[in-house]
Amino acid sequence: MQPIGKSGPLSYSRNYVWNKKDCVGKGATAEVFLGRHRQTGENCAIKLFNVREFMTLAASSKREIELLGKLKHRNVITFLASETELSTGNEILVTPYCQGGSLFSMLEQPQYAYGFPEDEFLIFLGDTSRGMEYLRSLGITHRDIKPGNIMKFIDKSGRSVYKLTDFGAARELKDEEKFQSLYGTEEYLHPDMYQRAILKEPGSQFFDASVDLWSFGCTIYHVATGQLPFQAHGGRINTVVMHKITSEKASGVISGIQTEPNGAITWSKDLPNTCLLPQSLKKLLTPVLAGLMETDKSKAWSFEQSFSHVKSIISRKRMEIFYQAACLELILYMREDDKYCNIQEEAAQYTGVIPENQLLLFRDKEFCNYVSATEKICNYPRKAFEGDIYLFNRDTLAEMNIYVPETVPFPSRIPTSDLIEDVELAKLRCSVAYFYEFHTEKVVRCQQRVKQSVFYLRDYIRDYLNPINVWLTETKKLKAESERTLGILDSSLKLFGSMLPVLNLTSYKDIEKVVEFANKQDVVDNLKGSLAKEDKRINEIDVYLQVLLEKIKEQDPVVTSVGWQEEQFWVSTIKQFRLTINGVLSTFRKHKRYGDLHPHEVFIHQAEMQKLEESNLQILSVFQGYLDNLKRICGEVKKHSGLLLKHLTRAKKVEVNMKCVIDFHKEIDIRLGKLDETYKEAALTLPQLLGSHAIEVLPSKNDGNSFLVKQAASTQESTSKGKISQCGATDFTDKQLISTPSPASKSKMYCDLARQLNETRLETESTMKNLTENKKGLESIVTMLQNGGEC
Ligand SMILES: Nc1ncnc2c1ncn2[C@@H]1O[C@H](COP(=O)(O)OP(=O)(O)OP(=O)(O)O)[C@@H](O)[C@H]1O
């Protein structure tokens, strides 16, 4: 007698206990129960091999247990124990309990009727491929790869881990060894195996490990689309057509479906539009599917080829770019060593916007400034993958076709009193409701992002103009500094010019340097003329820039007030309708179990059917409303972003002009620098003549014709003590001087010259100081401008 727990009859093995009511799955060979370890209470799955057929299956169950005991991999179900049921002596296989159930049970759920969403799909693909690669490395052929034999385990962090299970048909094969026994499940069976196992026709007597690859291909297709790749009308009974489809399909074809009895087969080399995976992932996946589901052995992919392709897909970096003009979430799968230009090329493929016309923003910054052009994508900062990249088409005249998500009709109802068909109908409609829920989430995201895109674009253009504005202000300063320097040099030039006569009287060796500087008047005049001309250009840019900034500012209220509709309830509204349909489905399932309905239940059934019809209509009309709203908003956005993009073109022109002005000033700076050098060379020679002494010119004799040019020990000494040092005094005679009418006027002239020399010395000192400061100012502005406006 089996003990009966409150919830049902209990079964025991030495270390495990399970409730016969907790059956989680039934296969051809066994039943699986949710069990617990008797000491630890840990959950587990108890696979109880079929009693009646035990004798025939003994070998296979023994093999499964033995084989599983040898395997240890994250993506292969873990062997925990093999024991016997105490009451019957039946063998049990204990494995960890996979809360997510099998892939098959998941695909049976309406939410996966159109396949897995991208993130879950990639986990499945990577995990299953790794599990298969592990088996391959041990020379094990599974021989029954299908969604029903792939379990979803949820780890401690809540992440899905897919694990291969059911090794009842598996065999260890040595290199290239073939086998004859027939295993597998029809829909996933290699055509050669199908021919022998299902059609019972003579065909190839031997199969090799590659039969697993065909099944893997069919499984991937099923998980990606929610559908089987090859379907004959009528299902399993239509075996001849099924075999025809798989064996006659052309290379590259990844699905063949017959929808009418004896009807034509619809072939496809692509995944269906209803598939929820992004276009770029589909594109990477189709060659894998075509290679796996290939009958021509010379074209079929090897294990190594298949695994390495899957690995390359999984290792790719997923980049989300919002293509503003089409309101499209563009998902790109980039290679790890791709660079910025590859992103542009890839984006061009899906949008038609050539790289030159692409404006890629990371929020409100240009993306190419955020990451360097030579940087590998794998080294990009994490933020680059968080969906903040926006793509704009600089070509404002380009057509803007809003991307409209795929829609599917709700299956129509053929009035019937068949409860099984009603369940099917509710299930299909529930699937469609999930489909719209998925797309509503997408529409909401797109609407939020298309709104956000205008703000980013506006901020980007404003930030683009800001440094130009700073350059302009700095250039004005530069101009003023240049003018000041030029003014100083001009007056020094004049002073030096006027000094030449007296310098000619001395034994001053470096006079030619002073002469050289004094002869630069034409250079000074030239520079003055150029600066005056440039002044006009700077003023024009200033006016244009201010108008542009004003125009962008004018857009602010418009940008913020575009008829944004609150989308926060959109998803929850659709979800509510879908939940209603879920409710109808469970009522119908209950009614199906009842079989015969009581009149009150018939009434409920009809009312639920009514609810089903209404919810379908509501979902369609609400979804259409969202789409219309999205289109309207996109229209508004297009207007504003079009204007902003035009402003950007203008800003670019201002930038070009501004750069010319900056270049001009750099040139002026160089020319001023040269003049400055000439000046300094001349000025630096003066101390040799003057030393640090003041100069005085005195009559040396009382004839009024001879004079002494005396250098005092210091200006201070000469004034305070009233003494004049004789040392270093130079004698001049009036013969050496230009003739003057009278000694008195000569004396005055010499005095003037002496004063001038002293003044020159002081003036030169301060000019040098001024020029050094000016030069520093000029240099810092030039450096700032060279660095693109960063002060
Ligand atoms: N570890 C587990 N955790 C949860 N459920 C499980 C586990 N193992 C199996 N199941 C469930 O039990 C079902 C049957 O298991 P399994 O495929 O091992 O049995 P089978 O008789 O060998 O099947 P088949 O008919 O494919 O040969 C699975 O499809 C799955 O739903």
Side-chain angles (χ1 to χ4, degrees):
M1 266 289 281
Q2 272 184 333
I4 311 275
K6 279 234 166 92
S7 52
L10 295 174
S11 276
Y12 291 93
S13 68
R14 198 159 67 87
N15 290 304
Y16 297 90
V17 56
W18 63 98
N19 191 319
K20 283 280 167 104
K21 278 198 165 169
D22 290 337
C23 176
V24 290
K26 264 187 195 161
T29 63
E31 269 184 290
V32 180
F33 300 93
L34 166 62
R36 279 182 193 275
H37 191 275
R38 290 171 70 173
Q39 264 85 51
T40 63
E42 194 72 42
N43 274 342
C44 61
I46 309 281
K47 182 167 179 175
L48 178 66
F49 291 95
N50 203 307
V51 192
R52 273 179 294 129
E53 292 179 55
F54 183 67
M55 290 315 286
T56 48
L57 294 169
S60 103
S61 65
K62 206 165 171 307
R63 198 172 52 219
E64 177 172 10
I65 290 167
E66 262 175 26
L67 194 60
L68 205 55
K70 293 187 205 167
L71 307 179
K72 193 168 172 23
H73 190 269
R74 177 181 152 88
N75 301 116
V76 171
I77 197 82
T78 313
F79 170 83
L80 290 180
S82 111
E83 297 188 355
T84 47
E85 188 180 26
L86 293 180
S87 57
T88 61
N90 285 340
E91 200 143 4
I92 64 159
L93 169 63
V94 189
T95 57
Y97 175 63
C98 298
Q99 317 87 312
S102 76
L103 263 182
F104 181 77
S105 60
M106 289 176 80
L107 290 165
E108 279 292 283
Q109 293 166 29
Q111 78 225 57
Y112 297 123
Y114 295 95
F116 273 22
E118 187 189 357
D119 46 356
E120 195 68 21
F121 175 81
L122 287 173
I123 300 174
F124 143 77
L125 185 67
D127 283 357
T128 312
S129 169
R130 276 188 287 272
M132 286 185 65
E133 194 173 4
Y134 171 70
L135 295 187
R136 173 77 181 158
S137 71
L138 300 179
I140 294 169
T141 312
H142 187 283
R143 301 199 292 185
D144 198 10
I145 295 287
K146 61 174 181 178
N149 286 337
I150 300 168
M151 305 300 302
K152 176 173 163 170
F153 179 78
I154 297 164
D155 71 9
K156 286 197 179 82
S157 63
R159 187 185 182 272
S160 308
V161 183
Y162 289 91
K163 292 176 185 278
L164 294 172
T165 184
D166 192 358
F167 288 81
R171 256 197 74 175
E172 290 179 84
L173 295 178
K174 299 207 180 66
D175 291 345
E176 308 307 320
E177 193 187 335
K178 305 219 185 293
F179 61 88
Q180 281 184 295
S181 41
L182 303 170
Y183 283 99
T185 304
E186 292 171 58
E187 292 80 2
Y188 308 90
L189 218 47
H190 187 280
D192 291 351
M193 184 84 102
Y194 192 96
Q195 188 179 16
R196 284 220 20 236
I198 310 292
L199 299 182
K200 313 278 184 214
E201 281 176 14
S204 168
Q205 297 299 306
F206 295 98
F207 310 101
D208 60 22
S210 67
V211 291
D212 273 357
L213 290 179
W214 178 281
S215 310
F216 184 34
C218 297
T219 304
I220 298 176
Y221 187 97
H222 194 168
V223 178
T225 65
Q227 299 169 27
L228 288 163
F230 308 114
Q231 296 174 37
H233 184 263
R236 280 193 170 183
I237 48 161
N238 200 348
T239 53
V240 176
V241 174
M242 181 64 177
H243 184 246
K244 190 178 150 66
I245 294 175
T246 52
S247 59
E248 290 180 10
K249 80 166 195 68
S251 291
V253 165
I254 58 167
S255 85
I257 295 173
Q258 185 191 44
T259 47
E260 305 278 323
N262 303 318
I265 296 154
T266 310
W267 304 104
S268 178
K269 289 189 173 183
D270 298 311
L271 287 161
N273 287 341
T274 50
C275 167
L276 308 176
L277 304 178
Q279 212 52 40
S280 50
L281 182 54
K282 285 188 194 175
K283 206 175 131 211
L284 292 172
L285 211 54
T286 39
V288 179
L289 290 169
L292 290 172
M293 300 186 290
E294 174 60 66
T295 42
D296 182 343
K297 285 201 170 25
S298 66
K299 290 182 186 159
W301 280 16
S302 66
F303 277 93
E304 289 64 37
Q305 218 176 342
S306 315
F307 297 145
S308 91
H309 266 81
V310 170
K311 264 188 213 151
S312 98
I313 296 178
I314 304 293
S315 69
R316 283 187 179 233
K317 291 290 207 180
R318 181 185 187 277
M319 299 206 81
E320 207 175 308
I321 296 176
F322 184 74
Y323 175 39
Q324 194 249 10
C327 196
L328 168 73
E329 277 179 324
L330 189 65
I331 312 287
L332 302 180
Y333 277 83
M334 306 303 302
R335 284 193 193 86
E336 292 196 302
D337 55 357
D338 275 340
K339 305 213 172 87
Y340 183 80
C341 61
N342 302 109
I343 301 178
Q344 287 191 301
E345 283 159 16
E346 193 79 358
Q349 254 194 50
Y350 293 100
T351 60
V353 184
I354 53 167
E356 296 77 77
N357 282 343
Q358 289 177 13
L359 169 64
L360 273 169
L361 295 188
F362 175 76
R363 299 188 190 149
D364 57 355
K365 305 269 172 294
E366 211 157 334
F367 188 49
C368 60
N369 292 338
Y370 183 69
V371 291
S372 100
T374 51
E375 190 71 273
K376 285 183 184 171
I377 286 180
C378 58
N379 296 329
Y380 280 7
R382 262 182 70 169
K383 283 201 176 309
F385 303 98
E386 290 174 1
D388 275 323
I389 308 173
Y390 291 78
L391 168 65
F392 298 86
N393 189 353
R394 290 183 201 267
D395 178 5
T396 46
L397 298 174
E399 272 289 299
M400 177 166 157
N401 294 321
I402 293 163
Y403 165 79
V404 179
E406 187 68 23
T407 49
V408 284
F410 279 97
S412 49
R413 177 183 171 225
I414 304 149
T416 163
S417 53
D418 188 335
L419 295 178
I420 300 171
E421 280 191 16
D422 283 354
V423 169
E424 271 317 296
L425 180 77
K427 200 174 150 193
L428 282 174
R429 290 193 175 183
C430 197
S431 309
V432 178
Y434 271 111
F435 184 85
Y436 281 106
E437 192 176 328
F438 174 88
H439 283 291
T440 303
E441 280 170 15
K442 221 169 164 180
V443 166
V444 168
R445 276 200 309 272
C446 285
Q447 177 159 315
Q448 284 165 344
R449 297 190 71 182
V450 80
K451 284 192 267 180
Q452 189 60 58
S453 71
V454 212
F455 290 103
Y456 283 152
L457 183 62
R458 179 204 58 187
D459 293 350
Y460 163 69
I461 299 172
R462 215 160 39 189
D463 289 352
Y464 193 91
L465 285 170
N466 277 344
I468 302 180
N469 215 2
V470 174
W471 295 350
L472 191 73
T473 319
E474 292 301 313
T475 310
K476 281 181 187 168
K477 274 193 217 159
L478 184 66
K479 202 190 94 226
E481 295 279 318
S482 301
E483 278 169 353
R484 213 162 79 84
T485 306
L486 201 57
I488 296 170
L489 287 169
D490 193 18
S491 52
S492 299
L493 191 135
K494 292 206 162 70
L495 189 62
F496 276 48
S498 64
M499 270 170 51
L500 277 176
V502 77
L503 291 177
N504 274 323
L505 295 178
T506 68
S507 54
Y508 181 39
K509 291 195 301 297
D510 292 316
I511 185 132
E512 72 280 359
K513 297 212 166 136
V514 180
V515 174
E516 192 192 340
F517 176 64
N519 285 340
K520 293 280 181 196
Q521 190 60 51
D522 59 330
V523 178
V524 170
D525 293 344
N526 202 300
L527 279 167
K528 271 188 183 167
S530 302
L531 276 175
K533 243 198 251 161
E534 204 51 28
D535 206 27
K536 204 173 149 234
R537 182 141 71 144
I538 291 181
N539 285 339
E540 276 169 11
I541 292 177
D542 199 2
V543 171
Y544 194 84
L545 189 63
Q546 298 323 318
V547 170
L548 201 52
L549 282 168
E550 202 46 50
K551 282 206 166 188
I552 291 166
K553 209 164 166 199
E554 274 169 24
Q555 283 243 291
D556 277 8
V558 196
V559 169
T560 5
S561 72
V562 175
W564 311 129
Q565 186 174 311
E566 283 300 316
E567 66 278 281
Q568 68 197 58
F569 296 114
W570 288 13
V571 178
S572 61
T573 308
I574 293 270
K575 186 176 175 185
Q576 210 45 47
F577 291 125
R578 195 259 301 153
L579 283 172
T580 306
I581 300 175
N582 274 132
V584 173
L585 176 61
S586 50
T587 310
F588 282 7
R589 279 187 171 139
K590 200 166 67 188
H591 288 175
K592 184 180 131 189
R593 279 198 302 278
Y594 296 166
D596 216 7
L597 297 186
H598 179 276
H600 179 63
E601 285 154 357
V602 170
F603 165 73
I604 291 173
H605 198 90
Q606 281 165 354
E608 289 293 290
M609 187 59 89
Q610 186 62 27
K611 243 200 251 175
L612 187 65
E613 298 287 337
E614 279 166 13
S615 303
N616 293 168
L617 291 175
Q618 293 279 16
I619 286 177
L620 284 180
S621 95
V622 170
F623 186 73
Q624 193 50 53
Y626 298 159
L627 279 186
D628 291 345
N629 194 59
L630 182 69
K631 283 182 195 160
R632 190 176 59 77
I633 284 174
C634 285
E636 300 257 350
V637 164
K638 188 190 170 189
K639 245 182 3 214
H640 299 306
S641 52
L643 272 177
L644 285 169
L645 284 164
K646 276 186 191 145
H647 291 334
L648 180 63
T649 315
R650 291 179 187 123
K652 293 247 167 211
K653 280 187 191 150
V654 177
E655 188 192 21
V656 170
N657 275 322
M658 201 55 231
K659 281 190 172 151
C660 289
V661 172
I662 291 168
D663 286 346
F664 167 82
H665 275 280
K666 278 186 203 154
E667 178 63 34
I668 292 274
D669 191 48
I670 293 167
R671 285 163 67 192
L672 269 177
K674 280 186 190 154
L675 193 61
D676 188 34
E677 282 305 309
T678 326
Y679 165 74
K680 267 187 205 148
E681 280 190 18
L684 283 170
T685 62
L686 285 182
Q688 292 167 22
L689 173 72
L690 304 169
S692 55
H693 305 288
I695 285 177
E696 215 171 319
V697 182
L698 295 168
S700 69
K701 295 172 193 157
N702 283 334
D703 61 3
N705 286 328
S706 299
F707 295 88
L708 267 181
V709 175
K710 287 184 179 177
Q711 298 177 320
S714 75
T715 315
Q716 206 183 0
E717 193 181 86
S718 77
T719 43
S720 64
K721 294 190 182 164
K723 268 188 175 176
I724 296 158
S725 160
Q726 295 291 318
C727 125
T730 314
D731 264 316
F732 293 93
T733 63
D734 62 344
K735 285 182 200 113
Q736 291 167 284
L737 296 170
I738 45 166
S739 65
T740 46
S742 70
S745 58
K746 273 181 198 164
S747 164
K748 188 177 175 299
M749 193 181 94
Y750 290 139
C751 287
D752 282 352
L753 284 172
R755 201 188 59 243
Q756 229 179 51
L757 278 170
N758 279 333
E759 278 171 3
T760 305
R761 185 172 63 84
L762 293 172
E763 181 92 28
T764 308
E765 270 169 20
S766 91
T767 305
M768 294 276 262
K769 220 169 122 198
N770 267 345
L771 283 174
T772 315
E773 267 163 27
N774 257 24
K775 191 159 177 32
K776 268 193 215 150
L778 284 171
E779 271 167 8
S780 78
I781 296 172
V782 170
T783 316
M784 188 275 291
L785 291 172
Q786 270 164 352
N787 293 345
E790 296 292 328
C791 295

